[in-house]
Amino acid sequence: MTIRALQSRSRPLTILLLAGGLLVSPGCVSWFHEEDVAIVDESPAEWELSRVVGDLTVPVGLQVAKIQGVSMVTGLDNTGSDPPPSPLQEALLNEMRIRKIAKPNTELASPRTSLVVAEAYIEPGARVGQRVDIRVLTSRDSETTSLVDGWMLETSLSESAVLEGRLRKGETFVRGHGAILTDNIREGRDDSEILLKRGVILGGGILKKDRPIGLAMRADNVSVQASARVGQSINSRFFSYQNGGGKTGVANPLDDKKIELRVHPKYFENVPRFLRVVRYIPIGDTTEERLQRIQNAEAELMIPESSEAGAMKLEALGKDSLDSLKKGLASKSPLVRFCAAEALAYLDDPAAIPTLTEAARSQSEFRHRAYIAFGTLDDLTVIDELEGLLHCESAEARYGAFDTLLEKTGKAPIIRGVDMKGKFIFHPIRSKASPLVHFRLSERPEVVVFGDNIPVRTDAILLMPKGLTITGTTDGKVKVTRVVAGRENRSFVCEPTVTELIKGIVDADGDYPEVMKVIYSLKQQGAIDARVEADSLAHNDRVYFLEREEDSDSDYADDEMLEEEAVTEDAEAAESEEIAASEKSGDKSWWRFW
């Protein structure tokens, strides 16, 4: 991630924390296009030494790729429609015939089904087997009124276009299917008909092909020799081990113009940073030049305005730069300390851990990057620190710690989840902080409950759609009942806690959207004394404010101490506002987004 410094002598310096510093728009799946070369920044470094990779190349394949498919949604409550003749209808009928579905026209005409368009966005550097969300929406001329309770049949997503009245598809990049979480539920609104006709299948697609990125040689450096030299320089810094134990580099020079890059495992969650660091790798340094380069980068690191670039230049030099980065940890500037710790984490040095912990706990401007950096460290101390962060009052800090632990450890006892009949994963987490119920709205259906035995008032009564009723019993328990016409009523009695109620809803054939509706409705009634949040993940576009020192030699230390106090005060104020907003959220609607 980059830091863009906007300097002004008449106002404080504002530093924007951007997602990798690479602004991209939806593009095609292929990674190399000649036109990409012209839109990338010209110089990553201003060295008066030997050249770096960024002097000879520009990155390509950075656009987010949009892929599409056509499919059928089933299980609708007579809210579907018979689609009119169109290229989409023809493509879907052909697909149904290939799969030997009996009477495809009859199935598609049923009010319990609907033709839909499926979309997915593939990030640069995405890998085979990776799960992606699938957006689902009705076609423009569809008469379908709702996709609520719908299940999308398996479909293939690829680059598509309508040519000569027919839908033409390229290679399959994603296959997916699953239950649709409609946008009216995700946004907590029942006042918009359009929200009923679109939604998302959380993690419903599986990537079938890698999405590579690469470098293109600049026009004045196009040659097989130059391409090979760049590849060799990159591979001397970044390599991984094959199954047989041998090293394999991440760069593969394809010809005189193109170098394909495989993202190093340390950077799977931060591809833009990987590209920036790669472009700072020197080509053909002598020992003297390398020492001078380290010295120059160290000087940049210690100046807040240039600390981000200085840290990544040191990171590009590998283990030789550890001592210089550790000097940054002693700075009075929070920005310098964090940039140094972040680079140390990508170099797998545990010296980064205390600074990253503090950033995750109380510096919201750095929190997103801190958790990504935590994920790169192999030191066991990281697990202890993340477990400690599960007790933060901030929902964002708490859930970020859980999410990182889940990525790192999978089934560690403290965060181990329970599969709720294939509908979602439920994670009960012991936490000393105030009770919190958290729902995931991207990547995977998931409920996390922070706190033991969060009580549910038994005088609350809920009459939900699809015949679901929640009531209290005379002996102080909660009764979950499902009434469906033509079927025997089903009732389950459970203890009056959030955890047991969630299990009872699932036993009564409840799904993820229904659990969300029940919990938020009970919260709105005041029947649950806990915060209820959704997608409380740290943002990657936070703004960091840094007072500009007029005289860096004389006033630097005092200014930095004031700045650090301001950062702490801002973090505490933001946390208080976050909690207050959560408590007031039920006054206006039963849903709240961050």
Side-chain angles (χ1 to χ4, degrees), residues 376-560:
T376 71
L377 283 160
D378 294 328
D379 194 278
L380 291 177
T381 308
V382 170
I383 306 301
D384 295 334
E385 295 295 333
L386 290 171
E387 290 182 356
L389 290 167
L390 293 174
H391 306 291
C392 291
E393 280 299 325
S394 166
E396 193 178 86
R398 208 186 315 181
Y399 183 73
F402 163 81
D403 190 50
T404 307
L405 275 169
L406 190 65
E407 290 293 324
K408 288 187 70 66
T409 65
K411 296 183 179 180
I414 194 170
I415 50 93
R416 184 173 297 160
V418 180
D419 187 336
M420 305 302 283
K421 299 185 178 180
K423 298 173 181 179
F424 60 91
I425 304 298
F426 173 60
H427 299 267
I429 307 294
R430 290 188 175 182
S431 175
K432 298 176 183 177
S434 56
L436 169 67
V437 182
H438 187 276
F439 294 97
R440 183 90 177 197
L441 298 181
S442 60
E443 298 181 3
R444 59 186 182 266
E446 168 195 273
V447 183
V448 184
V449 174
F450 294 89
D452 294 332
N453 301 320
I454 300 174
V456 176
R457 276 175 40 197
T458 57
D459 58 348
I461 298 177
L462 279 184
L463 302 177
M464 305 296 294
K466 298 192 295 183
L468 183 69
T469 303
I470 311 292
T471 59
T473 65
T474 55
D475 58 350
K477 298 187 184 299
V478 173
K479 185 177 182 180
V480 180
T481 304
R482 174 80 68 184
V483 179
V484 179
R487 290 166 52 183
E488 184 178 352
N489 293 352
R490 303 184 65 193
S491 295
F492 300 87
V493 176
C494 58
E495 294 297 321
T497 67
V498 169
T499 295
E500 294 304 315
L501 174 60
I502 289 173
K503 293 177 181 178
I505 296 169
V506 174
D507 287 338
D509 297 328
D511 55 15
Y512 186 57
E514 204 162 28
V515 170
M516 293 171 65
K517 286 181 181 179
V518 168
I519 297 300
Y520 272 99
S521 296
L522 289 172
K523 173 63 178 177
Q524 188 180 35
Q525 288 189 18
I528 295 177
D529 186 18
R531 297 175 64 185
V532 181
E533 302 281 350
D535 266 2
S536 292
L537 291 161
H539 302 297
N540 59 7
D541 57 355
R542 294 284 169 79
V543 179
Y544 178 83
F545 295 97
L546 175 69
E547 293 292 332
R548 185 168 185 257
E549 300 86 3
E550 296 295 333
D551 183 353
S552 59
D553 291 332
S554 60
D555 299 331
Y556 183 70
D558 291 340
D559 285 348
E560 283 192 319

Side-chain angles (χ1 to χ4, degrees), residues 295-350:
Q295 183 177 339
N296 291 354
E298 181 184 314
E300 285 189 60
L301 170 67
M302 301 306 292
I303 301 171
E305 291 84 349
S306 61
S307 57
E308 171 107 5
M312 281 194 279
K313 289 172 183 178
L314 289 168
E315 188 178 326
L317 298 173
K319 300 291 186 179
D320 292 345
S321 63
L322 291 178
D323 289 342
S324 293
L325 286 168
K326 288 175 182 178
K327 292 179 183 178
L329 297 178
S331 170
K332 290 190 172 80
S333 165
L335 180 59
V336 172
R337 291 199 304 273
F338 178 77
C339 289
E342 186 178 30
L344 284 167
Y346 284 96
L347 293 172
D348 205 30
D349 193 301

Side-chain angles (χ1 to χ4, degrees), residues 195-215:
L195 298 181
L196 297 169
K197 298 189 286 186
R198 66 190 192 199
V200 64
I201 303 172
L202 301 179
I206 299 179
L207 199 61
K208 297 299 181 182
K209 291 176 63 68
D210 288 332
R211 174 84 202 285
I213 55 176
L215 300 171

Side-chain angles (χ1 to χ4, degrees), residues 182-193:
T182 48
D183 284 357
N184 68 307
I185 297 173
R186 298 177 75 236
E187 298 187 18
R189 294 174 54 191
D190 291 323
D191 58 348
S192 173
E193 293 182 0

